[in-house]
Amino acid sequence: MACGFRRSIACQLSRVLDLPPEYLIKSISAVPISRKEEVADFQLSVDSLLENNNDHSRPDIQLQTVRLAEKLKCDTVVSEISTGPGTVNFKINRELLTKTVLQEVIEDGSKYGLKSELFSGLPQKKIVVEFSSPNVAKKFHVGHLRSTIIGNFIANLKEALGHQVTRINYLGDWGMQFGLLGTGFQLFGYEEKLQSNPLQHLFEVYVQVNKEAADDKSVAKSAHEFFQRLELGDTQALALWQKFRDLSIEEYIRIYKRLGVHFDEYSGESFYREKSQEVLKLLDSKGLLQKTIKGTAVVDLSGSGDPSSICTVMRSDGTSLYATRDLAAAIDRMDKYNFDKMIYVTDKGQKKHFQQVFQMLQIMGYDWAERCQHVPFGVVQGMKTRRGDVTFLEDVLNEIRLRMLQNMASAKTTRELENPQETAERVGLAALIIQDFRGFLLSDYQFSWDRVFQSRGDTGVFLQYTHARLHSLEETFGCGYLNDFNTACLQEPQSVSILQHLLRFDEVLYRSAQDLQPRHIVSYLLTLSHLAAMAHKTLHIKNSPPEVAGARLHLFRAVRSVLANGMTLLGITPLLRVGSSVETCEPIVAACMQDLVPQPGIEPGPLAL
């Protein structure tokens, strides 16, 4: 695959430059395909080789490039060598390219691209990913949805790379809201409603008791006293809290299953109500804890009284705060998992909070704090259902299913499916995920249901229909054709463009592994789907000679395999059927056809990020 060709090129360069091949591997990158002209398969950035050269009077880069190219020779792997602006370009023997890429895609299956030399020597690590983390009894807002799908992607990618991943859902199941909730349930709660729809009923109780507490100081006082009872371990208060928590988790598990997301551990702030007191004692013993006039306890991270660097870690009544419990959780997880990396996936509004938590861990003497990483994301505005603002994740899932069913009904595909509701939900989730992942995670964006579900253009709907159509091709023609193929039958420009694009899948995975941004994979898959749609117009299987039909089917099978791999990493379940035939999918896929343009997020150039 790409790494084999890359190593072959690196070995020849090694002899000329007197540098080890390993040093050169990541300076050799696959060239993105172009609709304007046929491009080379790989290029070496000469400038990247000289980046570490401290001599600022370096010779002219282009002159260096030309001189280097003149010293290189074509061989059984490389059929043509040329130069570009600061690059030496390599074209791979076409039949070798075809045979190697298609064989490895099929043989490696879900591991295609992950066995690349780009990942060789990658140490297997223990990684903890904390994501989703909704607050029991509060809104499951859009930020929690983003955290869920982004965290799931990061965990999927890390697992695919061979790391040992622990997925933690750190619930907001402690704090003053449970004082309000306990008091509220005693005033307004109904056991039957709690059992039948716990998340909805607890939310209704929480909204109602907040209104009462704002007008009636005795309700606010009762709430404060209830939380103090919880902190002190009162049996009755804890029993009611435990019921709220258990019922909520049961409901969350059911809903996460619809999303295709799972967790290894449902943790929560409540786990650390006692250990947070140990944290306070440790901070105090190190002389870091300061008492304020109001009776609260703070840590001054600046050491000079800078108000922006002061973190409150204890209320005046001695109860713990979010930051204290996060410190206790981090220490406990290191004891439990001995992690090499812990990743927190939350909105960018919590950036300062995590900076302070990591800094406090450092000054407490925990050097492993540098292994902790916050992956922030931007704000999504305008996500509403027909019932109003999003309150719960289930509202979003139901809205997705409803809208997609309506779209499918207008395309007259629902009658042909065994389970149209499940299909609608899977296609709709793909649409939602692709909409979210197309840009930088840190960017804010305006949400639009219409844009999410449009069949034309770069959407998750397009990916699902492309995958289903390619699977249908295999079902229809596959039996007699998938034994062997003739590489000479895949030399048309459309075939070569697909092969070149398949060649660079490992680089796209590498980029995403470096910066944890799914946009690289999304952009790659959309381009792959466009290439497949265009090729399907001209590379016919039906009525073609058996040798040609077999080769083309191999090509389309490879496209579907890589498409499925990428979608799965993103958290999308690839559908095998969206309608009952290739023809059923044709109008929708055809609508997605556009002139191929280079996609953002998969830029060429050296891979050392």
Side-chain angles (χ1 to χ4, degrees), residues 101-341:
V101 171
L102 294 188
Q103 276 188 350
E104 296 218 6
V105 170
I106 303 306
E107 288 173 7
D108 290 351
S110 63
K111 294 293 183 184
Y112 178 71
L114 296 165
K115 295 182 177 182
S116 165
E117 190 152 327
L118 293 176
F119 299 109
S120 66
L122 183 73
Q124 304 307 291
K125 296 182 177 179
K126 296 176 183 176
I127 297 174
V128 172
V129 185
E130 180 198 297
F131 62 104
S132 193
S133 306
N135 296 302
V136 175
K138 288 189 178 180
K139 284 187 178 183
F140 189 110
H141 59 73
V142 182
H144 292 125
L145 175 60
R146 288 206 83 189
S147 175
T148 304
I149 60 177
I150 293 167
N152 188 52
F153 159 71
I154 291 171
N156 288 344
L157 181 61
K158 294 294 185 183
E159 280 182 347
L161 291 170
H163 300 300
Q164 182 181 327
V165 177
T166 301
R167 302 162 185 248
I168 295 180
N169 196 341
Y170 184 64
L171 299 174
D173 63 355
W174 202 251
M176 266 308 298
Q177 79 258 31
F178 280 93
L180 285 162
L181 198 58
T183 298
F185 191 77
Q186 290 169 345
L187 293 171
F188 316 115
Y190 293 93
E191 186 64 31
E192 310 81 48
K193 288 185 177 180
L194 180 66
Q195 294 293 334
S196 63
N197 195 340
L199 298 181
Q200 180 69 39
H201 186 52
L202 289 175
F203 177 68
E204 289 167 353
V205 167
Y206 186 68
V207 170
Q208 193 170 356
V209 74
N210 264 293
K211 289 177 182 175
E212 293 290 328
D215 300 329
D216 187 342
K217 288 185 178 179
S218 67
V219 174
K221 184 182 177 185
S222 295
H224 191 79
E225 289 171 351
F226 190 93
F227 183 56
Q228 278 191 311
R229 286 167 56 201
L230 278 175
E231 287 265 288
L232 294 169
D234 179 82
T235 308
Q236 280 187 314
L238 282 173
L240 187 59
W241 166 83
Q242 189 70 51
K243 182 190 288 187
F244 294 162
R245 188 181 192 278
D246 290 346
L247 288 170
S248 296
I249 288 177
E250 282 180 25
E251 191 76 352
Y252 280 132
I253 290 171
R254 181 183 66 79
I255 297 166
Y256 285 128
K257 189 175 181 182
R258 287 178 66 180
L259 258 182
V261 173
H262 74 277
F263 294 92
D264 301 301
E265 178 183 307
Y266 279 84
S267 179
E269 294 180 68
S270 61
F271 284 46
Y272 302 106
R273 60 183 186 271
E274 292 176 7
K275 291 184 178 181
S276 61
Q277 296 301 316
E278 296 173 18
V279 167
L280 291 171
K281 288 176 185 175
L282 183 57
L283 286 167
D284 195 26
S285 70
K286 290 181 176 289
L288 300 169
L289 208 60
Q290 300 176 17
K291 287 287 181 72
T292 67
I293 299 172
K294 295 179 180 179
T296 60
V298 301
V299 176
D300 178 7
L301 294 168
S302 69
S304 59
D306 179 0
S308 65
S309 297
I310 289 175
C311 182
T312 305
V313 292
M314 187 183 76
R315 291 190 180 90
S316 57
D317 61 4
T319 56
S320 60
L321 286 164
Y322 183 49
T324 332
R325 296 190 285 271
D326 262 358
L327 288 169
I331 295 165
D332 179 62
R333 289 172 191 170
M334 174 51 75
D335 290 341
K336 186 175 180 180
Y337 297 111
N338 191 28
F339 58 77
D340 298 296
K341 174 74 75 175

